[in-house]
Structure formats: structure tokens, C-alpha cells
Amino acid sequence: MGTQREPDAVDAILAQWHRERPDLDVTPMGPIGRINRCSALLQRRLDQTFSAFGLTNWEFDVLATLRRSGAPFRLAPTTLFSALMVSSGTMTHRLKGLEARGLVQRLAHPDDARSLLVQLTPDGLALIDRAVAAHVANEHRILAGFKGSELSALDARLSKLLALLESAGE
């Protein structure tokens, strides 16, 4: 016996497809459509918090990746762009902007004179520490409607989906 829920926007789309193409099994459209809508709506709420700190989503990601790497909050650009799943050209452009704002600095690599490392500046560290605290509080607010067991079950199912998608390659 399933639990009753209020119809959502995806239900309306599914109903239209059932009416127009009853020959198609559109079942996958339900979870994928909901994940896509959730992603868009979540990103709006996350961006509100980032913008309160003068950051965009990608700027937050770069600074947070450096911060969670641990002291001295320094990584090779290749490690950064691999972690953030962007091209090296995109990363170079993004780093220039963060460097111009005084949030990161590029330093000579002590073990390889041909390469540089990217490091948070003191200002960048202070900013990301404030922003990540607000970000986590925002995430708590976003998920506050879930009981602990519901959140654990959701996390487990999303983890399974992520593993399936990652194992399929790009």
C-alpha cells in the first residue's frame, strides 16, 4: 500500500504522455523528471546563500575544494579541475577571476619548477569558512522536512543511482 501524496508538476507531464502516447512506458520520466526539477530548485536555493557572500556556485566549489583539502589549502590545477569536472581552460579562466579578487594565489610548485599550485589566500580562507557554514545551515533548512530515517533512505537511493551513472561512464 503506497502513501498518498499531492500530485506534482511531473505527474502532469506523465499524464500528458499517457494520454498522447499510451504505447510508451514513460515510467523512467517520473524519477528523472523529479531529479531534474529538484536539481534546478535546489540550485536556486543554494545560489541565494552563495550570492550573500558575493560568490557564484562555481566560485564556491573552487574555494570549498581548496578548503577541504586541508592546510595549507593548496592543490595543483589538474587536481582542482578533475575534482570539479571542468576543462583545464575553464579552470584557468576561473582561477584568474578568483586571483584578481584576492581569494586565491598561484605559487611555484616546490617539487616541479614547470608547474604552479593554487592556494587559498587568508581572505579566501576567511570567506569560504563563513560561506560553508552558511551553506551547511541552508542545506539543513532545505532538508528539514525529512525525518532522519527518510533522509538516510533518500541518501542511500541517490548513492545507488550515482554509482550506476558513474559506472556507465561518460
Side-chain angles (χ1 to χ4, degrees), residues 158-169:
L158 290 172
S159 180
K160 182 176 181 177
L161 175 61
L162 181 59
L164 289 169
L165 293 170
E166 287 179 338
S167 70

Side-chain angles (χ1 to χ4, degrees), residues 77 91-97 99 104-108 116-119:
M91 182 54 60
T92 298
H93 175 72
R94 290 177 177 183
L95 291 176
K96 283 181 183 176
E99 193 172 34
V104 301
Q105 59 187 344
R106 290 187 249 198
L107 309 167
L116 297 173
L117 295 171
V118 179
Q119 181 173 332

Side-chain angles (χ1 to χ4, degrees), residues 22-142:
D23 58 308
L24 291 178
D25 175 10
V26 296
T27 304
M29 286 184 173
I32 291 174
R34 287 183 179 91
I35 289 168
N36 282 334
R37 286 184 63 82
C38 285
S39 177
L41 294 168
L42 281 169
Q43 197 58 60
R44 284 186 204 162
R45 297 203 34 201
L46 297 177
D47 287 345
Q48 289 173 345
T49 297
F50 302 148
S51 68
F53 293 90
L55 296 171
T56 63
N57 179 55
W58 69 261
E59 289 170 325
F60 176 87
D61 282 347
V62 170
L63 298 178
T65 300
L66 289 167
R67 177 60 176 97
R68 70 176 184 262
S69 73
F73 316 114
R74 174 187 314 156
L75 292 171
T78 53
T79 304
L80 263 177
F81 73 72
S82 295
L84 298 170
M85 299 186 300
V86 297
S87 71
S88 62
T90 298
M91 182 54 60
T92 298
H93 175 72
R94 290 177 177 183
L95 291 176
K96 283 181 183 176
L98 291 170
E99 193 172 34
R101 292 177 56 194
L103 301 175
V104 301
Q105 59 187 344
R106 290 187 249 198
L107 309 167
H109 194 299
D111 301 325
D112 182 358
R114 297 168 296 151
S115 65
L116 297 173
L117 295 171
V118 179
Q119 181 173 332
L120 286 175
T121 63
D123 286 347
L125 178 59
L127 177 62
I128 193 59
D129 277 345
R130 289 190 319 274
V132 78
H135 173 63
V136 171
N138 187 37
E139 289 181 324
H140 278 284
R141 282 189 302 276
I142 290 168

